[in-house]
Amino acid sequence: MPYFPQLGAGWRYGTVVVEWPVHYTRAIENQLDVAHLAFVHRTTIGAGGRSFVEGPYVEADQQGIKVWVTNMRDEGRNPRSHKELAAAAADNEPGLSFLFPGIWLLNISPRLKNFIAFVPINEQKTRFYLRVYHRISNPVVAKAFEALMGLSNRFILGQDRRVVVTQTPLDSSAAQQDILIGADRAVSQFRKNHARLLTRNNSVVLQEAIMCEIPVASYPED
């Protein structure tokens, strides 16, 4: 399984587990959506009215997606160009990172990260393994901090849940009518890569079935 090299030795962590009645694609896309912060999380991590999304600058490959988040208050300024955002990103770690098939990292600071593993239970349920990684050495203080962050992360995730459970269709792969905007670059990239992975995996299953003479179910085209 892929993992983030940033999370090597020297980290402590606390874990909370949450389940949502949603498809895993919707759960993942919510954590790649940078435009909703000022609205859904206006009383927590989106406080300050930073509704102006500059970019975001996104890099993606077959392994995953990196997002440099530059949200700010809308004061009528023009956004920087893609070239300018790329230059600014070159000297900084991404704010968000995602690795297929389903792990996510929020870079809060060099000594603090939030991590999520998205685990599909079925077509209508996804489990979140949410960890806070930190470098607090005192075990008593560390445990108290982990408990506090666990409560905070549950509350913030609950703000997202109210929105995500209403999204249709359940699987975003079937959301042909969705209208994505510039701020949805990371979501758009996820959909492209996810579709490519599904096509490749379906091809492998078909080839293995033919070689093993296993009957493959066929489905009518839409």
Side-chain angles (χ1 to χ4, degrees):
M1 288 289 291
Y3 208 66
F4 296 105
Q6 304 96 306
L7 302 178
W11 292 93
R12 291 177 178 267
Y13 61 83
T15 307
V16 296
V17 181
V18 177
E19 286 189 5
W20 282 7
V22 301
H23 194 268
Y24 72 88
T25 54
R26 294 297 190 180
I28 292 171
E29 288 180 6
N30 177 71
Q31 300 303 321
L32 294 174
D33 174 11
V34 301
H36 79 285
L37 297 173
F39 306 99
V40 177
H41 302 293
R42 62 183 179 275
T43 60
T44 54
I45 57 175
R50 296 185 296 274
S51 60
F52 181 73
V53 180
E54 197 175 38
Y57 179 68
V58 174
E59 292 183 356
D61 56 25
Q62 294 182 349
Q63 283 70 47
I65 301 166
K66 297 178 181 178
V67 187
W68 283 261
V69 184
T70 50
N71 294 6
M72 60 191 71
R73 292 183 64 86
D74 189 352
E75 298 176 343
R77 57 168 288 183
N78 292 323
R80 286 176 290 177
S81 68
H82 183 270
K83 184 177 180 180
E84 290 172 322
L85 291 173
D91 298 324
N92 295 284
E93 286 189 50
L96 302 176
S97 300
F98 176 80
L99 292 176
F100 287 97
I103 58 173
W104 171 95
L105 187 68
L106 172 63
N107 178 33
I108 301 173
S109 77
R111 299 177 61 85
L112 184 62
K113 320 285 183 186
N114 267 350
F115 166 92
I116 299 176
F118 302 92
V119 180
I121 305 302
N122 54 43
E123 289 293 312
Q124 300 180 355
K125 185 181 293 186
T126 300
R127 183 173 296 162
F128 295 68
Y129 290 89
L130 174 56
R131 283 181 174 176
V132 55
Y133 280 85
H134 62 88
R135 293 189 179 275
I136 299 173
S137 57
N138 184 296
V140 175
V141 176
K143 285 296 182 183
F145 178 75
E146 291 161 14
L148 183 62
M149 286 296 294
L151 291 173
S152 174
N153 284 335
R154 279 182 182 273
F155 182 81
I156 293 168
L157 206 58
Q159 291 181 312
D160 285 317
R161 185 185 187 279
R162 295 197 298 266
V163 176
V164 181
V165 296
T166 68
Q167 294 175 332
T168 57
L170 289 175
D171 182 353
S172 74
S173 302
Q176 303 302 318
Q177 302 304 313
D178 279 6
I179 300 176
L180 301 182
I181 61 175
D184 295 321
R185 286 181 177 87
V187 173
S188 177
Q189 193 63 57
F190 169 79
R191 293 189 180 184
K192 291 176 183 177
N193 288 19
H194 182 250
R196 191 177 301 119
L197 286 171
L198 288 180
T199 300
R200 187 181 70 185
N201 290 343
N202 289 340
S203 177
V204 170
V205 170
L206 178 61
Q207 291 175 7
E208 290 178 349
I210 293 172
M211 292 177 64
C212 298
E213 297 183 352
I214 299 174
V216 176
S218 59
Y219 300 90
E221 296 182 357
D222 293 334

